[in-house]
Amino acid sequence: MKKLVLPFTLVAIIVGLYEQSKAKPNIYILCITIVIFMYGVMRLSAKTPSKNQEEKEEDHVE
């Protein structure tokens, strides 16, 4: 599942941009791609440790 987040996010971006370039974009497809994109960004950013978290871990070690 972890390896599928990035490809799904990229596909959602491509589909969303393609759909938006049409004369009459389908609003449901745009909403679905936005939800998939936001979910993907949330999952990818969860892997990145925060700066404050690292400082707290260093304080507990000392």
Side-chain angles (χ1 to χ4, degrees):
M1 178 69 180
K2 293 179 183 179
K3 294 181 180 181
L4 295 176
V5 174
L6 185 60
F8 278 133
T9 305
L10 292 175
V11 169
I13 291 170
I14 293 168
V15 171
L17 289 174
Y18 173 74
E19 189 67 28
Q20 190 175 3
S21 68
K22 290 183 177 179
K24 284 189 169 183
N26 189 341
I27 193 73
Y28 297 113
I29 293 176
L30 287 175
C31 289
I32 290 169
T33 57
I34 290 171
V35 168
I36 293 171
F37 173 72
M38 294 303 288
Y39 178 76
V41 169
M42 180 187 71
R43 295 286 296 193
L44 291 173
S45 67
K47 294 179 183 179
T48 308
S50 69
K51 181 181 175 183
N52 296 335
Q53 183 180 8
E54 291 175 358
E55 290 175 357
K56 289 179 183 177
E57 289 175 359
E58 289 175 2
D59 290 342
H60 291 289
V61 173
E62 295 175 2

